[in-house]
Each structure stands twice: as C-alpha cells, then as structure tokens.
Amino acid sequence: MAIVRANVLICAGSACVSSRAYEFKDALLKALEEAGIREEVNVVDTGCVGTCDLGPVAIVYPDGVFYVRLKPEDAKTIVNEHLLKGRVVNRLLYQEPITKEVFPSLSEIDFVARQKRIVLRNMGIINPESIEEYIAREGYQALAKALTMTPEEVIDTVKRSGLRGRGGAGFPTGLKWELARKAKGSPKYVICNGDEGDPGAFMDRSILEGDPHSVIEGMMIAGYAIGASKGFFYVRAEYPLAIERLELALEQARNYGLIGENILGTDFSFDIELRRGSGAFVCGEETALIASIEGRRGEPRPRPPYPANKGLWDKPTVINNVETLANIAPIILNGAEWFSSIGTEKSKGTKVFALAGKVNNTGLIEVPFGTTLREIIFDVGGGIPGGKKFKAAQTGGPSGGCIPAEYLDLPLDYESLKQIGAIVGSGGLIIMDEDTCMVDVARFFLEFTQSESCGKCPPCRVGTRKMLDILERIINGEGEEGDIERLIELGNEIKQDSLCGLGQTAPNPVLSTIRFFRDEYEAHIKEKRCPAKSCRALIAYQVIPDKCRGCGICARICPVGAAQGKPREIHHIDKDLCIKCGDCFAKCPFGAIEKVDIFAEKH
C-alpha cells in the first residue's frame, strides 16, 4: 500500500464549481497519474472555504499551503513543483510569503483569522459527501448525548444558550421548542427552512453543500426535544448541489441507523423527507412554507395561531432555518455557558454573513455578534476596492435597511440594528461605495419584493406597486414635489397593514434610505441630478480631450457606434446614439471617458 505524501482539499462549493473547480480537479488527477504518484496523494472535495472571489481554491496538507484562482493548466505545475520537489508555487498563493520559509495557510489570512467559526466549523475541512469524516469531527455525538438527557433538559440547554433564530426574526429558539413541546396535538413536526431567497444571500446554500450532516443532526435533536417523529427539509429547487448532497447525507444517516426506528438503541424514532421549493420568495415565510409542503398554494395566513401550536396539517410544528439548526450540536456538546459567552448580552453566539458588493474580499464569513461593521469591511473584507469611500451597507436583504458610514462602529446585533431601522435578517450583507445611488438601491430591492408578492393582501400587492412607480419616476428624472412624503406614507401603511413579514418589511429599504440619504432623493427630484452619477436617465458620457490618446478602444467596444473618431485622433461620443451602457467608461485605459450630469450640461 502506497504511503500518502499529501492531501489536496479542493473547494467544491457552488462558487468554486462555477469557476471550473472540477476542471482543475480533473487536470490534477491526470497530472498525478502522469507523475506516477496518484496513489500517494488524496484529492478530496470539500465545502465552501468562504473565499468565494478567489475560487477555485485548494489547500495542500500537511503544509497547509493555500492556493487560489486556480486554472486547469496550474495542476501540472503544482504536481511537478510542490508535490514532487517540495517547492511552493508562489504565484498561486493568496499573498506572497514574507520569507521563503513562511507560507500563509488558510487559517492565517486575515479573511479567516478574524472569524470565529461555529456553524462553519467543518467547512473546507471535511468531505461533505462522507458521513465518516463528519463523525470523525464529533459528528452525531451531540445526538447521542441528547438522547441521554430528558427532552426538557435539552430544551433548557438551548434556552440558556441564548440561541435566537438565524432566519431573520431572531425569536428565541429554546422558547419556540418549549412552546411546541407543551402544545397539544400529535404527531408533531420539525421543518428546516432552506428556502433562502434574498438577493446576495448564500449562507444556507453553502452550509447544506458543505456540511449537511450538521443540519440533519440539529433537526434530529429538535425532533427529540419537542416529541416529534417526522421532519421535513424545505430547500429551494434552485440549489441543485445542496439538494444532491443533502439527499446523499440523508441516505448515509439512514444506513448508519441515525434516522429511522429506535435510533442508537433508544425509544426515539425519527424520519426526514426532503421537499423542493418552486422559487417563490414568499415561501420563506413560515405559514406559506407550510402551505407549500401541504400541497397548497404558497400563501401566508394570519397569525395567531402560530405554527408551534397549529402548524403543518394543523399539528404543533417547529420551523428553524439551516443556520439555526447547525448551531445545535455544538451547543449540546459544549454547553449553554460556552455558547452564551460569545456575542453580546442579548445576541448570543456568532452570525454567518454573505459578504458581497464593493469590498475586496467577498464570500462567506462567520463573526461573533457585536462585531462592528468597520471590522467586517476593513479587517475581514479587506476594505473598499480602488480606494473608494464606504457609503452604506444593506443588511437583511429586501426586508432590511441601509447602514450609513456614520454607523461604521455600531455593533452588529439584533438590538443595535433595530434602533437605526435595519435588521440582521438571514445574513445578507451588501457593501456599497460612493458610486452607488441609494435611490436606485431602494428601487432594486422594492422591485424584487413587489415581483415576489403573492398578491393575497392589497397593502402589499397594490402598495408596493405604487411605491415602485414613484421610485421609477424619480430615477428617470420625473420626480415631483411631495414624492418623498408619499413614499413615507405608503411605506408606513404597508408595514402596518400587510398580512405577512414579506409585506411588513418590504418598505424598509426605501424608508431607511430616505432617513439617511434624503438629500439624494431631493437632488433627483428638485435638480434632476443623481449625485452618484449612476442613474442612466440623468447622466451622459463624454470624452475628456486632454486625456484621449485616440487608441480607438471605445469605438471598437461601443455596441451602437456612439463612440467615434479616427485612429490617433481625439474621439467623441454621439449622445443621440449613446445607450449609456458604460462600456467605454469601464474599458478606457487612460480614464478619458467621464460621466456628466445632464442637468449640469443644460444649466
């Protein structure tokens, strides 16, 4: 039997897979075969490492060397240089080593070193398609421990830990379990809400892809605690890789006797089914999700009664999201006091965020509650690209609000964000720089929620349409005096009168941007000007004569022939032809294209 000289872990999360990770893997296996060391190197698929913008990535152990942005042609170099000769390939590292003897490992780069990983504890470490590797990392030990406790003791542990639901509302998880256990009615059910639909959010998807057994184990413990014998995973169909790995994990757990009858030789029996969502954002709302599982149209219903008392098929039901359930096993194993020592007084533990937008290091991160936005953006995220100024962060997706620069040092937790009209939400965190138009941001999120409205209640169905009409007029230079007041009035009415959480929170992006960036709304309405020079209807592109070198790039890439000029002569842009796509502005190597306010040109 060959002696294993190295293990190569390849990120096989969706981001890396879409960046040709499997092509790199195939090339690596071929190069190993050609070098005659295929049997001496273990090549393992793993879950999302978190560094999504650097993919595909690979980690070579035992050295711990972290390679990024890999291409298939890099495989032979890694085999010949690193695996055969022991020479680290510097050009493929995340950053150049300080000395030839010191190479930064994954755990040492700022993006990872400044995190605290509980939910993401196994991501990038184990093969998500191997139950044996999960078990080797204390997998299912928490279930075994829970089965030696009474259900009341399990619930008390979760209550004392301070864990709150990570799906957005932040309701105490242990209290929800207690209500369901005490509720009359049988059978009882546990549902894992994996219907993640916020723009820019990919936390639940990555967890299911990278560590499905941790979520299964959390659901099993929840079932034991409340007295349920059946659970359902509800995962959006647009997550094929997550579904594939979850199905495999469920099959493996059944084969090991961890799902089914008399689990681990006890009286506890529990089975799990997987249901696919059909792409309706509203089904992330728990009563709409229940209706969908029951085979009805996914529409919310009034509450109370709450699902803990009357849920799936009118029986007591606990609904927790993916991240919430992934916290359960560590809490049972390490104790309530351990978990409650992390975070803030009222927001315990960590939070997983999908960090996206105008930030150097985008990806999946996990930090303790109470971490400031400044720390996330500039320490973990590496700052704003191009030396631009930070303008705002959108938390909570289309249900959330904007955090302006003046609150960079505000702790990110449930209470602090609520005070400024924002929410933690499920964990989407989109960073915006000085070139972002906040009116257009509000329009983007409202357009999403308006299109996803189920239409059941008029405040959401009609009210969001009216708000969207006003916003579209404003960004097109057709805003009127009183539009801001109309938006505020409509927003408050929708929040108060809508049936479910989707409608009640839909106006949040609009109301928060008005609160903190009212001057931008006024500039659009009164001056027909976009301060960020982002709204197409209010800007034009023109050539700066002193900077133009006549290279002709703008003319070659312009899709409509608006950029014109002879070689080596100053070019110009025909504003009657220009469709304002911005290609010339983005591609000019000399910065000779500028945006100008149409209003400024006329006055």
Coordinates of all heavy atoms in Angstrom, one line a residue, residues 194-275:
G194 N -35.0 25.9 4.3 CA -33.8 26.2 3.4 C -34.2 26.9 2.2 O -33.6 26.8 1.2
D195 N -35.3 27.7 2.3 CA -35.8 28.4 1.1 C -35.2 29.8 1.0 O -35.9 30.8 1.0 CB -37.4 28.5 1.2 CG -38.0 28.9 -0.1 OD1 -37.7 28.3 -1.2 OD2 -38.8 29.9 -0.1
E196 N -33.9 29.9 1.1 CA -33.2 31.1 1.1 C -33.4 31.8 -0.3 O -33.1 31.3 -1.3 CB -31.7 30.8 1.3 CG -30.8 31.9 1.3 CD -29.4 31.4 1.6 OE1 -28.9 30.6 0.8 OE2 -28.8 31.8 2.6
G197 N -33.9 33.1 -0.2 CA -34.2 33.8 -1.4 C -33.7 35.2 -1.6 O -33.9 35.9 -2.6
D198 N -33.1 35.7 -0.5 CA -32.7 37.2 -0.5 C -31.6 37.4 -1.6 O -30.7 36.5 -1.7 CB -32.1 37.6 0.8 CG -33.1 37.7 1.9 OD1 -34.3 37.3 1.6 OD2 -32.8 38.1 3.0
P199 N -31.7 38.4 -2.4 CA -30.6 38.7 -3.4 C -29.3 38.9 -2.6 O -29.2 39.6 -1.6 CB -31.1 40.1 -4.0 CG -32.6 40.1 -3.7 CD -32.8 39.4 -2.5
G200 N -28.3 38.2 -3.1 CA -27.0 38.3 -2.5 C -26.7 37.4 -1.3 O -25.6 37.4 -0.7
A201 N -27.7 36.6 -1.0 CA -27.6 35.7 0.2 C -27.3 34.3 -0.3 O -27.9 33.7 -1.2 CB -28.8 35.7 1.1
F202 N -26.3 33.6 0.4 CA -25.9 32.2 0.1 C -25.4 31.5 1.3 O -24.6 30.5 1.2 CB -24.9 32.2 -1.1 CG -23.7 33.1 -0.9 CD1 -22.5 32.6 -0.3 CD2 -23.7 34.4 -1.3 CE1 -21.4 33.4 -0.1 CE2 -22.6 35.2 -1.1 CZ -21.4 34.7 -0.5
M203 N -25.9 31.9 2.5 CA -25.4 31.2 3.7 C -26.0 29.8 3.8 O -25.2 28.9 4.0 CB -25.9 32.0 4.9 CG -25.4 33.5 5.0 SD -26.3 34.6 3.9 CE -28.0 34.4 4.5
D204 N -27.3 29.7 3.7 CA -27.9 28.3 3.9 C -27.4 27.4 2.8 O -27.2 26.2 3.1 CB -29.4 28.5 3.9 CG -29.9 29.2 5.1 OD1 -29.1 29.5 6.0 OD2 -31.1 29.6 5.1
R205 N -27.4 27.9 1.6 CA -26.9 27.0 0.5 C -25.5 26.5 0.7 O -25.3 25.3 0.6 CB -26.9 27.9 -0.8 CG -26.5 27.1 -2.1 CD -26.0 28.0 -3.2 NE -24.7 28.5 -2.9 CZ -24.1 29.5 -3.5 NH1 -24.8 30.2 -4.4 NH2 -22.9 29.9 -3.2
S206 N -24.6 27.3 1.2 CA -23.3 26.9 1.4 C -23.2 25.9 2.6 O -22.4 24.9 2.5 CB -22.4 28.1 1.7 OG -22.3 29.0 0.6
I207 N -24.0 26.1 3.6 CA -23.9 25.2 4.7 C -24.5 23.8 4.3 O -23.9 22.8 4.7 CB -24.8 25.7 5.9 CG1 -24.1 27.0 6.5 CG2 -24.9 24.7 7.0 CD1 -25.0 27.8 7.4
L208 N -25.6 23.8 3.6 CA -26.1 22.5 3.1 C -25.2 21.8 2.1 O -25.1 20.6 2.1 CB -27.5 22.7 2.4 CG -28.6 23.1 3.4 CD1 -29.9 23.4 2.5 CD2 -28.9 22.0 4.4
E209 N -24.4 22.6 1.3 CA -23.5 22.0 0.4 C -22.2 21.5 1.1 O -21.7 20.4 0.7 CB -23.0 23.0 -0.6 CG -24.1 23.4 -1.6 CD -23.6 24.5 -2.6 OE1 -22.5 25.1 -2.3 OE2 -24.4 24.8 -3.5
G210 N -21.8 22.2 2.2 CA -20.5 21.9 2.8 C -20.6 21.1 4.1 O -19.6 20.4 4.4
D211 N -21.7 21.0 4.7 CA -21.8 20.3 6.0 C -23.3 19.9 6.3 O -23.8 20.2 7.3 CB -21.3 21.2 7.1 CG -20.9 20.4 8.4 OD1 -20.9 19.1 8.3 OD2 -20.7 21.0 9.4
P212 N -23.9 19.1 5.4 CA -25.3 18.7 5.5 C -25.6 18.0 6.8 O -26.7 18.1 7.4 CB -25.6 17.9 4.3 CG -24.3 17.4 3.8 CD -23.3 18.4 4.2
H213 N -24.7 17.1 7.3 CA -24.9 16.3 8.4 C -25.1 17.1 9.7 O -25.9 16.8 10.6 CB -23.8 15.3 8.7 CG -23.8 14.1 7.7 ND1 -24.8 13.1 7.8 CD2 -23.1 13.9 6.6 CE1 -24.6 12.2 6.8 NE2 -23.6 12.7 6.1
S214 N -24.5 18.3 9.8 CA -24.6 19.2 11.0 C -26.1 19.7 11.1 O -26.6 19.8 12.2 CB -23.6 20.3 10.9 OG -24.0 21.3 9.9
V215 N -26.7 19.9 9.9 CA -28.1 20.4 9.9 C -29.0 19.2 10.3 O -30.0 19.4 11.0 CB -28.4 21.0 8.6 CG1 -29.8 21.7 8.7 CG2 -27.4 22.0 8.2
I216 N -28.7 18.1 9.7 CA -29.5 16.9 10.0 C -29.5 16.6 11.5 O -30.5 16.3 12.1 CB -29.0 15.7 9.2 CG1 -29.3 15.9 7.7 CG2 -29.7 14.4 9.6 CD1 -28.6 14.8 6.8
E217 N -28.3 16.6 12.0 CA -28.1 16.3 13.5 C -28.9 17.3 14.3 O -29.6 17.0 15.3 CB -26.7 16.3 13.9 CG -26.4 15.9 15.3 CD -25.0 15.8 15.7 OE1 -24.1 16.2 14.9 OE2 -24.7 15.2 16.8
G218 N -28.9 18.6 13.9 CA -29.6 19.6 14.7 C -31.1 19.4 14.6 O -31.9 19.5 15.6
M219 N -31.6 18.9 13.4 CA -33.0 18.6 13.3 C -33.4 17.4 14.1 O -34.5 17.4 14.7 CB -33.4 18.4 11.8 CG -34.8 18.0 11.6 SD -35.2 17.5 9.9 CE -35.3 19.1 9.1
M220 N -32.5 16.4 14.2 CA -32.8 15.2 15.0 C -33.0 15.6 16.4 O -33.9 15.1 17.1 CB -31.7 14.2 14.8 CG -31.4 13.8 13.4 SD -32.7 12.7 12.7 CE -32.4 11.2 13.7
I221 N -32.1 16.4 16.9 CA -32.2 16.9 18.3 C -33.4 17.7 18.6 O -34.1 17.5 19.6 CB -30.9 17.7 18.7 CG1 -29.7 16.7 18.6 CG2 -31.0 18.3 20.1 CD1 -28.3 17.5 18.7
A222 N -33.8 18.5 17.6 CA -35.0 19.3 17.8 C -36.2 18.4 17.8 O -37.2 18.6 18.6 CB -35.2 20.3 16.6
G223 N -36.2 17.3 17.0 CA -37.3 16.4 17.0 C -37.5 15.7 18.3 O -38.6 15.5 18.9
Y224 N -36.3 15.3 18.9 CA -36.3 14.6 20.2 C -36.9 15.5 21.3 O -37.7 15.1 22.1 CB -34.9 14.1 20.5 CG -34.8 13.5 21.9 CD1 -35.4 12.3 22.3 CD2 -34.1 14.2 22.9 CE1 -35.3 11.8 23.5 CE2 -34.0 13.7 24.2 CZ -34.6 12.5 24.5 OH -34.5 12.0 25.8
A225 N -36.4 16.8 21.2 CA -36.8 17.7 22.2 C -38.3 18.0 22.3 O -38.9 18.2 23.4 CB -36.0 19.0 22.1
I226 N -38.9 18.2 21.1 CA -40.3 18.6 21.1 C -41.3 17.4 21.1 O -42.5 17.5 21.2 CB -40.6 19.5 19.9 CG1 -40.6 18.8 18.6 CG2 -39.7 20.7 19.9 CD1 -41.3 19.6 17.5
G227 N -40.7 16.2 20.9 CA -41.6 15.0 20.8 C -42.1 14.7 19.4 O -43.2 14.1 19.3
A228 N -41.3 15.1 18.4 CA -41.7 14.8 17.0 C -41.1 13.5 16.5 O -40.1 13.1 17.0 CB -41.3 16.0 16.1
S229 N -41.7 13.0 15.5 CA -41.2 11.8 14.9 C -41.0 11.9 13.4 O -40.6 11.0 12.7 CB -42.2 10.6 15.1 OG -43.4 10.9 14.6
K230 N -41.2 13.2 12.9 CA -41.1 13.4 11.4 C -40.5 14.8 11.2 O -40.9 15.8 11.9 CB -42.5 13.3 10.7 CG -42.4 13.3 9.2 CD -41.7 12.1 8.6 CE -41.7 12.1 7.1 NZ -43.0 11.7 6.6
G231 N -39.6 14.9 10.2 CA -39.1 16.2 9.9 C -39.1 16.4 8.4 O -39.1 15.4 7.6
F232 N -39.1 17.6 8.0 CA -39.0 18.0 6.6 C -37.9 19.0 6.3 O -37.8 20.0 7.0 CB -40.4 18.6 6.1 CG -41.5 17.6 6.1 CD1 -42.3 17.4 7.2 CD2 -41.8 16.9 4.9 CE1 -43.3 16.5 7.1 CE2 -42.8 16.0 4.9 CZ -43.6 15.7 6.0
F233 N -37.1 18.8 5.3 CA -36.3 19.8 4.7 C -37.0 20.5 3.6 O -37.5 19.8 2.7 CB -35.0 19.2 4.2 CG -33.9 19.0 5.2 CD1 -33.6 17.8 5.8 CD2 -33.1 20.1 5.6 CE1 -32.6 17.6 6.7 CE2 -32.1 20.0 6.5 CZ -31.9 18.7 7.1
Y234 N -37.1 21.8 3.6 CA -37.7 22.5 2.5 C -36.6 23.4 1.9 O -36.2 24.4 2.5 CB -38.9 23.4 3.0 CG -39.7 24.0 1.9 CD1 -40.8 23.4 1.4 CD2 -39.4 25.3 1.4 CE1 -41.6 24.0 0.4 CE2 -40.1 25.9 0.4 CZ -41.2 25.2 -0.1 OH -42.0 25.8 -1.1
V235 N -36.1 23.0 0.7 CA -35.0 23.6 0.1 C -35.4 24.1 -1.3 O -36.0 23.3 -2.0 CB -33.8 22.6 0.0 CG1 -32.6 23.3 -0.6 CG2 -33.4 22.1 1.4
R236 N -35.0 25.3 -1.7 CA -35.4 25.8 -3.0 C -34.7 25.0 -4.1 O -33.6 24.5 -4.0 CB -35.0 27.3 -3.1 CG -33.6 27.6 -2.9 CD -33.3 29.1 -3.0 NE -33.8 29.6 -4.2 CZ -33.9 30.9 -4.5 NH1 -33.5 31.8 -3.6 NH2 -34.4 31.4 -5.6
A237 N -35.5 24.7 -5.1 CA -35.1 23.8 -6.2 C -33.9 24.4 -7.0 O -33.2 23.7 -7.7 CB -36.2 23.6 -7.2
E238 N -33.6 25.7 -6.8 CA -32.5 26.4 -7.5 C -31.2 26.1 -6.9 O -30.1 26.5 -7.3 CB -32.7 27.9 -7.5 CG -33.9 28.4 -8.3 CD -35.1 28.5 -7.5 OE1 -35.3 27.8 -6.5 OE2 -36.0 29.3 -7.9
Y239 N -31.2 25.2 -5.8 CA -30.0 24.8 -5.1 C -29.7 23.3 -5.4 O -29.7 22.5 -4.5 CB -30.1 25.0 -3.6 CG -30.0 26.4 -3.1 CD1 -30.2 26.7 -1.8 CD2 -29.7 27.5 -4.0 CE1 -30.1 28.1 -1.4 CE2 -29.6 28.8 -3.6 CZ -29.8 29.1 -2.2 OH -29.7 30.4 -1.8
P240 N -29.4 23.0 -6.7 CA -29.2 21.5 -7.0 C -28.1 20.8 -6.3 O -28.2 19.7 -5.9 CB -29.0 21.6 -8.5 CG -28.5 22.9 -8.9 CD -29.2 23.8 -7.9
L241 N -27.0 21.5 -6.1 CA -25.8 20.9 -5.4 C -26.2 20.7 -4.0 O -25.8 19.6 -3.4 CB -24.6 21.8 -5.6 CG -23.3 21.1 -5.1 CD1 -23.0 19.8 -5.8 CD2 -22.1 22.1 -5.3
A242 N -26.8 21.6 -3.3 CA -27.2 21.4 -1.9 C -28.2 20.3 -1.8 O -28.1 19.5 -0.8 CB -27.8 22.7 -1.4
I243 N -29.1 20.2 -2.7 CA -30.1 19.1 -2.6 C -29.4 17.7 -2.9 O -29.7 16.8 -2.2 CB -31.2 19.3 -3.7 CG1 -32.1 20.5 -3.3 CG2 -32.1 18.1 -3.9 CD1 -33.1 21.0 -4.3
E244 N -28.5 17.7 -3.8 CA -27.8 16.4 -4.1 C -27.1 15.9 -2.9 O -27.1 14.8 -2.5 CB -26.9 16.7 -5.3 CG -26.0 15.5 -5.6 CD -25.0 15.8 -6.7 OE1 -25.2 16.7 -7.5 OE2 -23.9 15.2 -6.7
R245 N -26.3 16.8 -2.2 CA -25.5 16.4 -1.1 C -26.4 16.1 0.2 O -26.1 15.3 1.0 CB -24.5 17.5 -0.8 CG -23.4 17.5 -1.8 CD -22.3 18.6 -1.6 NE -21.3 18.5 -2.7 CZ -20.5 19.5 -2.9 NH1 -20.4 20.5 -2.1 NH2 -19.6 19.3 -3.9
L246 N -27.5 16.9 0.3 CA -28.4 16.6 1.4 C -29.1 15.2 1.2 O -29.2 14.5 2.2 CB -29.5 17.7 1.5 CG -30.5 17.6 2.6 CD1 -29.7 17.6 4.0 CD2 -31.4 18.8 2.6
E247 N -29.5 14.9 0.0 CA -30.1 13.6 -0.3 C -29.1 12.5 0.1 O -29.5 11.4 0.7 CB -30.5 13.5 -1.7 CG -31.8 14.3 -2.1 CD -32.2 14.2 -3.5 OE1 -31.2 14.0 -4.4 OE2 -33.4 14.3 -3.8
L248 N -27.8 12.6 -0.3 CA -26.8 11.6 0.0 C -26.6 11.5 1.5 O -26.5 10.4 2.0 CB -25.5 12.0 -0.7 CG -24.3 11.1 -0.4 CD1 -24.6 9.7 -0.9 CD2 -23.1 11.7 -1.1
A249 N -26.6 12.7 2.2 CA -26.4 12.7 3.6 C -27.5 11.9 4.3 O -27.3 11.2 5.3 CB -26.2 14.1 4.1
L250 N -28.7 12.2 3.9 CA -29.9 11.5 4.5 C -29.8 10.0 4.3 O -30.1 9.2 5.2 CB -31.2 12.1 3.9 CG -31.6 13.5 4.3 CD1 -32.7 14.0 3.5 CD2 -31.9 13.6 5.8
E251 N -29.4 9.6 3.1 CA -29.3 8.2 2.8 C -28.2 7.5 3.7 O -28.4 6.4 4.3 CB -28.9 8.0 1.3 CG -28.7 6.5 0.9 CD -28.3 6.3 -0.5 OE1 -28.3 7.4 -1.2 OE2 -28.0 5.2 -0.9
Q252 N -27.1 8.2 3.8 CA -26.0 7.7 4.7 C -26.4 7.6 6.1 O -26.1 6.6 6.8 CB -24.8 8.6 4.6 CG -24.1 8.6 3.2 CD -23.0 9.7 3.1 OE1 -23.0 10.6 3.9 NE2 -22.1 9.5 2.2
A253 N -27.1 8.6 6.6 CA -27.6 8.6 8.0 C -28.5 7.4 8.3 O -28.5 6.8 9.3 CB -28.2 9.9 8.4
R254 N -29.4 7.2 7.3 CA -30.3 6.0 7.4 C -29.5 4.7 7.5 O -29.8 3.8 8.3 CB -31.3 6.0 6.2 CG -32.4 7.0 6.4 CD -33.6 6.7 5.4 NE -34.6 7.8 5.5 CZ -34.5 8.9 4.7 NH1 -33.6 9.0 3.8 NH2 -35.5 9.8 4.9
N255 N -28.6 4.6 6.6 CA -27.8 3.4 6.5 C -27.0 3.1 7.8 O -26.7 2.0 8.2 CB -26.8 3.4 5.4 CG -27.5 3.3 4.0 OD1 -28.6 2.9 3.9 ND2 -26.8 3.8 3.0
Y256 N -26.7 4.2 8.5 CA -26.0 4.1 9.8 C -26.9 3.9 11.0 O -26.5 3.9 12.2 CB -25.1 5.3 10.0 CG -23.7 5.1 9.5 CD1 -23.4 5.1 8.2 CD2 -22.6 5.0 10.4 CE1 -22.1 4.9 7.7 CE2 -21.3 4.8 9.9 CZ -21.1 4.8 8.5 OH -19.8 4.6 8.1
G257 N -28.2 3.9 10.7 CA -29.2 3.8 11.8 C -29.4 5.1 12.6 O -30.0 5.1 13.7
L258 N -29.0 6.2 12.0 CA -29.1 7.5 12.7 C -30.5 8.2 12.3 O -30.8 9.2 12.9 CB -28.0 8.4 12.4 CG -26.6 7.9 12.8 CD1 -25.5 8.6 12.2 CD2 -26.5 7.9 14.4
I259 N -31.2 7.7 11.4 CA -32.5 8.1 11.0 C -33.3 6.9 10.9 O -32.9 5.9 10.3 CB -32.5 8.9 9.7 CG1 -31.7 10.2 9.8 CG2 -34.0 9.2 9.3 CD1 -31.7 11.0 8.4
G260 N -34.5 6.9 11.5 CA -35.4 5.7 11.4 C -35.9 5.3 12.7 O -36.2 6.2 13.6
E261 N -36.0 4.0 13.0 CA -36.6 3.5 14.2 C -35.6 3.2 15.2 O -34.5 2.8 15.0 CB -37.4 2.2 13.9 CG -38.5 2.3 12.8 CD -39.7 3.1 13.3 OE1 -40.0 3.0 14.6 OE2 -40.3 3.9 12.5
N262 N -36.0 3.5 16.5 CA -35.1 3.2 17.7 C -33.7 3.6 17.5 O -32.7 2.8 17.5 CB -35.2 1.7 18.0 CG -36.6 1.2 18.2 OD1 -37.2 0.4 17.5 ND2 -37.3 1.7 19.2
I263 N -33.5 4.9 17.3 CA -32.2 5.4 17.0 C -31.2 5.2 18.1 O -31.5 5.5 19.3 CB -32.3 6.9 16.6 CG1 -33.2 7.1 15.3 CG2 -31.0 7.6 16.5 CD1 -33.7 8.5 15.1
L264 N -30.0 4.7 17.8 CA -29.0 4.4 18.8 C -29.5 3.6 19.9 O -29.1 3.8 21.1 CB -28.4 5.7 19.3 CG -27.6 6.6 18.3 CD1 -27.1 7.9 18.9 CD2 -26.5 5.8 17.6
G265 N -30.4 2.7 19.6 CA -30.9 1.7 20.6 C -31.9 2.3 21.6 O -32.1 1.7 22.7
T266 N -32.5 3.5 21.3 CA -33.4 4.1 22.3 C -34.8 4.0 21.7 O -35.1 3.4 20.7 CB -33.1 5.6 22.4 OG1 -33.3 6.3 21.2 CG2 -31.6 5.8 22.8
D267 N -35.8 4.6 22.5 CA -37.1 4.6 22.0 C -37.4 5.7 21.0 O -38.6 5.8 20.5 CB -38.1 4.8 23.2 CG -38.0 3.6 24.2 OD1 -37.7 2.4 23.7 OD2 -38.3 3.7 25.4
F268 N -36.4 6.5 20.7 CA -36.6 7.7 19.8 C -36.6 7.2 18.4 O -35.6 6.6 17.9 CB -35.6 8.7 20.1 CG -35.6 9.9 19.1 CD1 -36.8 10.7 19.0 CD2 -34.5 10.3 18.4 CE1 -36.8 11.7 18.1 CE2 -34.5 11.3 17.5 CZ -35.7 12.1 17.4
S269 N -37.6 7.5 17.6 CA -37.7 7.2 16.2 C -38.0 8.5 15.4 O -38.8 9.3 15.9 CB -38.8 6.2 15.9 OG -38.5 5.0 16.5
F270 N -37.3 8.7 14.3 CA -37.5 10.0 13.6 C -37.1 9.8 12.1 O -36.1 9.1 11.8 CB -36.5 11.0 14.2 CG -36.9 12.5 13.8 CD1 -37.9 13.2 14.4 CD2 -36.1 13.1 12.7 CE1 -38.2 14.5 14.0 CE2 -36.4 14.4 12.3 CZ -37.4 15.1 13.0
D271 N -38.0 10.2 11.3 CA -37.7 10.1 9.8 C -37.7 11.5 9.2 O -38.4 12.5 9.7 CB -38.8 9.3 9.1 CG -38.4 8.8 7.7 OD1 -37.1 8.9 7.4 OD2 -39.2 8.5 7.0
I272 N -37.0 11.7 8.1 CA -36.9 13.0 7.4 C -37.2 12.9 5.9 O -36.8 12.0 5.3 CB -35.5 13.6 7.6 CG1 -35.2 13.8 9.1 CG2 -35.3 14.9 6.9 CD1 -33.7 14.2 9.4
E273 N -38.0 13.8 5.4 CA -38.3 13.9 4.0 C -37.7 15.2 3.5 O -37.6 16.2 4.2 CB -39.8 13.9 3.7 CG -40.4 12.5 3.8 CD -41.9 12.6 3.3 OE1 -42.2 13.4 2.4 OE2 -42.7 11.8 3.9
L274 N -37.4 15.2 2.2 CA -36.9 16.4 1.5 C -37.9 16.9 0.5 O -38.4 16.2 -0.3 CB -35.6 16.1 0.8 CG -35.0 17.3 -0.1 CD1 -34.6 18.5 0.7 CD2 -33.8 16.7 -0.9
R275 N -38.3 18.2 0.6 CA -39.2 18.8 -0.3 C -38.5 20.0 -1.0 O -37.8 20.8 -0.3 CB -40.5 19.3 0.4 CG -41.3 18.2 1.1 CD -42.0 17.3 0.1 NE -42.7 16.2 0.8 CZ -44.0 16.3 1.1 NH1 -44.7 17.4 1.0 NH2 -44.6 15.3 1.7

